[in-house]
mmCIF file of all heavy atoms in Angstrom:
data_model
loop_
_atom_site.group_PDB
_atom_site.id
_atom_site.type_symbol
_atom_site.label_atom_id
_atom_site.label_comp_id
_atom_site.label_asym_id
_atom_site.label_seq_id
_atom_site.Cartn_x
_atom_site.Cartn_y
_atom_site.Cartn_z
ATOM 1 N N ALA Q 1 0.802 -1.233 0.000
ATOM 2 C CA ALA Q 1 0.000 0.000 0.000
ATOM 3 C C ALA Q 1 0.835 1.284 0.000
ATOM 4 O O ALA Q 1 0.559 2.202 -0.792
ATOM 5 C CB ALA Q 1 -0.973 -0.007 1.172
ATOM 6 N N PRO Q 2 1.864 1.415 0.847
ATOM 7 C CA PRO Q 2 2.635 2.666 0.804
ATOM 8 C C PRO Q 2 3.439 2.863 -0.475
ATOM 9 O O PRO Q 2 3.722 3.993 -0.871
ATOM 10 C CB PRO Q 2 3.563 2.578 2.025
ATOM 11 C CG PRO Q 2 3.504 1.201 2.508
ATOM 12 C CD PRO Q 2 2.266 0.566 1.982
ATOM 13 N N PHE Q 3 3.792 1.753 -1.158
ATOM 14 C CA PHE Q 3 4.461 1.888 -2.458
ATOM 15 C C PHE Q 3 3.481 2.452 -3.486
ATOM 16 O O PHE Q 3 3.826 3.332 -4.284
ATOM 17 C CB PHE Q 3 4.980 0.525 -2.942
ATOM 18 C CG PHE Q 3 6.170 0.023 -2.169
ATOM 19 C CD1 PHE Q 3 6.027 -0.986 -1.232
ATOM 20 C CD2 PHE Q 3 7.425 0.562 -2.365
ATOM 21 C CE1 PHE Q 3 7.113 -1.456 -0.514
ATOM 22 C CE2 PHE Q 3 8.524 0.107 -1.660
ATOM 23 C CZ PHE Q 3 8.367 -0.907 -0.722
ATOM 24 N N GLU Q 4 2.258 1.919 -3.472
ATOM 25 C CA GLU Q 4 1.236 2.405 -4.404
ATOM 26 C C GLU Q 4 0.917 3.870 -4.130
ATOM 27 O O GLU Q 4 0.709 4.657 -5.065
ATOM 28 C CB GLU Q 4 -0.007 1.531 -4.290
ATOM 29 C CG GLU Q 4 0.231 0.127 -4.822
ATOM 30 C CD GLU Q 4 -0.824 -0.893 -4.430
ATOM 31 O OE1 GLU Q 4 -1.654 -0.590 -3.547
ATOM 32 O OE2 GLU Q 4 -0.814 -2.006 -4.992
ATOM 33 N N ALA Q 5 0.903 4.250 -2.851
ATOM 34 C CA ALA Q 5 0.658 5.647 -2.492
ATOM 35 C C ALA Q 5 1.765 6.551 -3.037
ATOM 36 O O ALA Q 5 1.500 7.638 -3.565
ATOM 37 C CB ALA Q 5 0.556 5.783 -0.970
ATOM 38 N N GLN Q 6 3.014 6.088 -2.919
ATOM 39 C CA GLN Q 6 4.135 6.885 -3.449
ATOM 40 C C GLN Q 6 4.077 6.972 -4.972
ATOM 41 O O GLN Q 6 4.406 8.004 -5.557
ATOM 42 C CB GLN Q 6 5.468 6.258 -3.026
ATOM 43 C CG GLN Q 6 5.771 6.429 -1.540
ATOM 44 C CD GLN Q 6 7.009 5.649 -1.138
ATOM 45 O OE1 GLN Q 6 8.129 6.130 -1.285
ATOM 46 N NE2 GLN Q 6 6.807 4.439 -0.637
ATOM 47 N N ALA Q 7 3.668 5.858 -5.612
ATOM 48 C CA ALA Q 7 3.549 5.882 -7.077
ATOM 49 C C ALA Q 7 2.485 6.875 -7.524
ATOM 50 O O ALA Q 7 2.531 7.396 -8.634
ATOM 51 C CB ALA Q 7 3.218 4.482 -7.594
ATOM 52 N N ASN Q 8 1.520 7.154 -6.648
ATOM 53 C CA ASN Q 8 0.485 8.147 -6.915
ATOM 54 C C ASN Q 8 0.986 9.565 -6.600
ATOM 55 O O ASN Q 8 0.285 10.543 -6.871
ATOM 56 C CB ASN Q 8 -0.755 7.818 -6.074
ATOM 57 C CG ASN Q 8 -1.983 8.580 -6.496
ATOM 58 O OD1 ASN Q 8 -2.261 9.646 -5.966
ATOM 59 N ND2 ASN Q 8 -2.738 8.042 -7.444
ATOM 60 N N GLY Q 9 2.193 9.652 -6.023
ATOM 61 C CA GLY Q 9 2.782 10.947 -5.702
ATOM 62 C C GLY Q 9 2.547 11.417 -4.284
ATOM 63 O O GLY Q 9 3.027 12.482 -3.879
ATOM 64 N N LEU Q 10 1.792 10.646 -3.498
ATOM 65 C CA LEU Q 10 1.371 11.095 -2.168
ATOM 66 C C LEU Q 10 2.510 11.163 -1.154
ATOM 67 O O LEU Q 10 3.402 10.314 -1.162
ATOM 68 C CB LEU Q 10 0.317 10.134 -1.599
ATOM 69 C CG LEU Q 10 -1.114 10.296 -2.086
ATOM 70 C CD1 LEU Q 10 -1.934 9.078 -1.693
ATOM 71 C CD2 LEU Q 10 -1.736 11.570 -1.502
ATOM 72 N N PRO Q 11 2.432 12.149 -0.235
ATOM 73 C CA PRO Q 11 3.266 12.068 0.965
ATOM 74 C C PRO Q 11 2.762 10.908 1.822
ATOM 75 O O PRO Q 11 1.555 10.646 1.871
ATOM 76 C CB PRO Q 11 3.020 13.403 1.686
ATOM 77 C CG PRO Q 11 2.227 14.249 0.751
ATOM 78 C CD PRO Q 11 1.585 13.341 -0.241
ATOM 79 N N VAL Q 12 3.683 10.202 2.476
ATOM 80 C CA VAL Q 12 3.330 9.050 3.318
ATOM 81 C C VAL Q 12 3.859 9.305 4.729
ATOM 82 O O VAL Q 12 5.010 9.711 4.898
ATOM 83 C CB VAL Q 12 3.946 7.744 2.760
ATOM 84 C CG1 VAL Q 12 3.703 6.572 3.704
ATOM 85 C CG2 VAL Q 12 3.396 7.444 1.371
ATOM 86 N N LEU Q 13 3.009 9.049 5.720
ATOM 87 C CA LEU Q 13 3.435 9.131 7.118
ATOM 88 C C LEU Q 13 3.271 7.743 7.729
ATOM 89 O O LEU Q 13 2.164 7.199 7.768
ATOM 90 C CB LEU Q 13 2.598 10.158 7.890
ATOM 91 C CG LEU Q 13 2.892 10.265 9.392
ATOM 92 C CD1 LEU Q 13 4.360 10.634 9.657
ATOM 93 C CD2 LEU Q 13 1.968 11.289 10.053
ATOM 94 N N ALA Q 14 4.391 7.154 8.204
ATOM 95 C CA ALA Q 14 4.379 5.770 8.694
ATOM 96 C C ALA Q 14 5.022 5.679 10.075
ATOM 97 O O ALA Q 14 5.740 6.591 10.507
ATOM 98 C CB ALA Q 14 5.136 4.881 7.709
ATOM 99 N N SER Q 15 4.759 4.562 10.735
ATOM 100 C CA SER Q 15 5.351 4.339 12.060
ATOM 101 C C SER Q 15 6.788 3.833 11.919
ATOM 102 O O SER Q 15 7.069 2.958 11.102
ATOM 103 C CB SER Q 15 4.521 3.329 12.852
ATOM 104 O OG SER Q 15 4.427 2.114 12.133
ATOM 105 N N LYS Q 16 7.649 4.375 12.757
ATOM 106 C CA LYS Q 16 9.070 4.016 12.712
ATOM 107 C C LYS Q 16 9.292 2.577 13.171
ATOM 108 O O LYS Q 16 10.109 1.851 12.624
ATOM 109 C CB LYS Q 16 9.848 4.988 13.612
ATOM 110 C CG LYS Q 16 11.348 4.913 13.465
ATOM 111 C CD LYS Q 16 12.027 6.148 14.031
ATOM 112 C CE LYS Q 16 11.823 6.253 15.543
ATOM 113 N NZ LYS Q 16 12.554 7.408 16.119
ATOM 114 N N GLU Q 17 8.541 2.155 14.180
ATOM 115 C CA GLU Q 17 8.748 0.821 14.747
ATOM 116 C C GLU Q 17 8.122 -0.277 13.902
ATOM 117 O O GLU Q 17 8.661 -1.379 13.809
ATOM 118 C CB GLU Q 17 8.140 0.718 16.166
ATOM 119 C CG GLU Q 17 8.765 1.640 17.182
ATOM 120 C CD GLU Q 17 8.103 3.010 17.222
ATOM 121 O OE1 GLU Q 17 7.334 3.355 16.295
ATOM 122 O OE2 GLU Q 17 8.353 3.735 18.201
ATOM 123 N N GLY Q 18 6.966 0.004 13.292
ATOM 124 C CA GLY Q 18 6.199 -1.061 12.652
ATOM 125 C C GLY Q 18 6.420 -1.230 11.170
ATOM 126 O O GLY Q 18 6.173 -2.304 10.622
ATOM 127 N N VAL Q 19 6.872 -0.177 10.491
ATOM 128 C CA VAL Q 19 6.958 -0.209 9.023
ATOM 129 C C VAL Q 19 8.432 -0.166 8.604
ATOM 130 O O VAL Q 19 9.163 0.734 9.013
ATOM 131 C CB VAL Q 19 6.184 0.985 8.411
ATOM 132 C CG1 VAL Q 19 6.261 0.958 6.890
ATOM 133 C CG2 VAL Q 19 4.723 0.958 8.877
ATOM 134 N N PRO Q 20 8.884 -1.137 7.797
ATOM 135 C CA PRO Q 20 10.301 -1.176 7.417
ATOM 136 C C PRO Q 20 10.742 0.068 6.665
ATOM 137 O O PRO Q 20 9.974 0.632 5.874
ATOM 138 C CB PRO Q 20 10.404 -2.404 6.507
ATOM 139 C CG PRO Q 20 9.152 -3.161 6.693
ATOM 140 C CD PRO Q 20 8.112 -2.220 7.190
ATOM 141 N N LYS Q 21 11.980 0.452 6.913
ATOM 142 C CA LYS Q 21 12.541 1.646 6.250
ATOM 143 C C LYS Q 21 12.579 1.478 4.728
ATOM 144 O O LYS Q 21 12.621 2.459 3.983
ATOM 145 C CB LYS Q 21 13.938 1.947 6.791
ATOM 146 C CG LYS Q 21 14.960 0.854 6.517
ATOM 147 C CD LYS Q 21 16.302 1.136 7.161
ATOM 148 C CE LYS Q 21 17.356 0.093 6.798
ATOM 149 N NZ LYS Q 21 17.005 -1.293 7.133
ATOM 150 N N GLU Q 22 12.554 0.202 4.263
ATOM 151 C CA GLU Q 22 12.626 -0.059 2.820
ATOM 152 C C GLU Q 22 11.444 0.515 2.049
ATOM 153 O O GLU Q 22 11.499 0.603 0.822
ATOM 154 C CB GLU Q 22 12.687 -1.570 2.541
ATOM 155 C CG GLU Q 22 13.998 -2.223 2.916
ATOM 156 C CD GLU Q 22 13.977 -2.881 4.292
ATOM 157 O OE1 GLU Q 22 13.239 -2.378 5.181
ATOM 158 O OE2 GLU Q 22 14.690 -3.863 4.496
ATOM 159 N N ILE Q 23 10.357 0.898 2.728
ATOM 160 C CA ILE Q 23 9.218 1.453 1.970
ATOM 161 C C ILE Q 23 9.539 2.819 1.379
ATOM 162 O O ILE Q 23 8.853 3.280 0.476
ATOM 163 C CB ILE Q 23 7.918 1.574 2.818
ATOM 164 C CG1 ILE Q 23 8.057 2.644 3.895
ATOM 165 C CG2 ILE Q 23 7.455 0.249 3.352
ATOM 166 C CD1 ILE Q 23 6.760 3.311 4.270
ATOM 167 N N ALA Q 24 10.574 3.479 1.882
ATOM 168 C CA ALA Q 24 10.859 4.858 1.449
ATOM 169 C C ALA Q 24 11.575 4.867 0.098
ATOM 170 O O ALA Q 24 12.797 4.939 0.015
ATOM 171 C CB ALA Q 24 11.688 5.583 2.505
ATOM 172 N N VAL Q 25 10.788 4.796 -0.966
ATOM 173 C CA VAL Q 25 11.328 4.855 -2.328
ATOM 174 C C VAL Q 25 11.545 6.307 -2.734
ATOM 175 O O VAL Q 25 12.544 6.645 -3.362
ATOM 176 C CB VAL Q 25 10.362 4.160 -3.313
ATOM 177 C CG1 VAL Q 25 10.785 4.392 -4.758
ATOM 178 C CG2 VAL Q 25 10.311 2.666 -3.027
ATOM 179 N N THR Q 26 10.609 7.172 -2.385
ATOM 180 C CA THR Q 26 10.722 8.607 -2.702
ATOM 181 C C THR Q 26 11.079 9.376 -1.422
ATOM 182 O O THR Q 26 10.920 8.846 -0.316
ATOM 183 C CB THR Q 26 9.384 9.160 -3.251
ATOM 184 O OG1 THR Q 26 8.455 9.272 -2.162
ATOM 185 C CG2 THR Q 26 8.809 8.261 -4.339
#
């Protein structure tokens, strides 16, 4: 889901503990 959100151009706000740092493509 956060990859698809980034592909749409959206800013993403995620939890540091629960979501892997690898989601940060942009």
Side-chain angles (χ1 to χ4, degrees):
F3 288 104
E4 291 165 348
Q6 288 173 84
N8 193 268
L10 280 166
V12 174
L13 176 59
S15 57
K16 191 162 65 176
E17 297 88 346
V19 180
K21 63 185 184 303
E22 289 97 329
I23 69 151
V25 171
T26 74

